[in-house]
Amino acid sequence: QFADNAFAGVTVLKTAHVENNRLTQLPRNFPFDKMETLTISRNPWHCSCQLAPLRKWLKSNRTRAEDTCSTPAQHRGQPIRDTPALRSCKLPTKRSRKGSRH
C-alpha cells in the first residue's frame, strides 16, 4: 500500500503502472490531474469513496484499462467505472484561495 503522503509535492505524473499488486486503495493525494496512462489491473480494489477520483479519471479518459471491485462483497466483480458503490461519492472540489469568482 501507499503511504498517505506518498505523492505529496508531486504536481505532474503522466504515467503510472501499479498492476499486479495487492492494492486496495490509492492515496487521497494521488496526482490524477496530468495522468495520461494508468494501469491498475489485477489488484483487489476496495470500492469505497476513496476510489471516486479514480472513477472520475477512468470516465474522463475513456481508457480501456478497466478493473473491478474485489470488496465490499456486494460489489465484487463490478467495474470501478460503473459500480454503484461510487455513484453517490462527493468529489473534493478545488476552491480558489481568494474565495472570489469573476
Side-chain angles (χ1 to χ4, degrees):
Q1 82 185 39
F2 290 107
D4 283 340
N5 62 353
F7 294 93
V10 176
T11 55
V12 178
L13 183 62
K14 292 188 174 184
T15 304
H17 300 287
V18 296
E19 71 275 16
N20 293 314
N21 284 288
R22 293 193 192 119
L23 296 174
T24 58
Q25 295 290 331
L26 290 173
R28 292 186 195 283
N29 66 347
F30 193 81
F32 284 103
D33 290 350
K34 309 272 193 244
M35 188 67 63
E36 294 171 6
T37 304
L38 177 62
T39 53
I40 61 168
S41 58
R42 294 183 294 282
N43 282 295
W45 297 109
H46 177 69
C47 287
S48 70
C49 284
Q50 193 164 341
L51 285 186
L54 171 60
R55 176 178 182 254
K56 180 183 175 191
W57 185 87
L58 288 168
K59 283 183 160 303
S60 67
N61 283 273
R62 293 189 174 84
T63 178
R64 281 195 203 145
E66 185 59 84
D67 213 9
T68 57
C69 308
S70 289
T71 56
Q74 69 267 35
H75 300 296
R76 181 185 305 272
Q78 295 173 349
I80 292 171
R81 188 188 320 220
D82 301 319
T83 180
L86 302 177
R87 279 200 193 124
S88 61
C89 297
K90 303 255 188 299
L91 283 167
T93 54
K94 291 186 177 174
R95 295 192 176 113
S96 85
R97 288 186 183 146
K98 294 175 185 171
S100 62
R101 293 182 185 205
H102 299 282

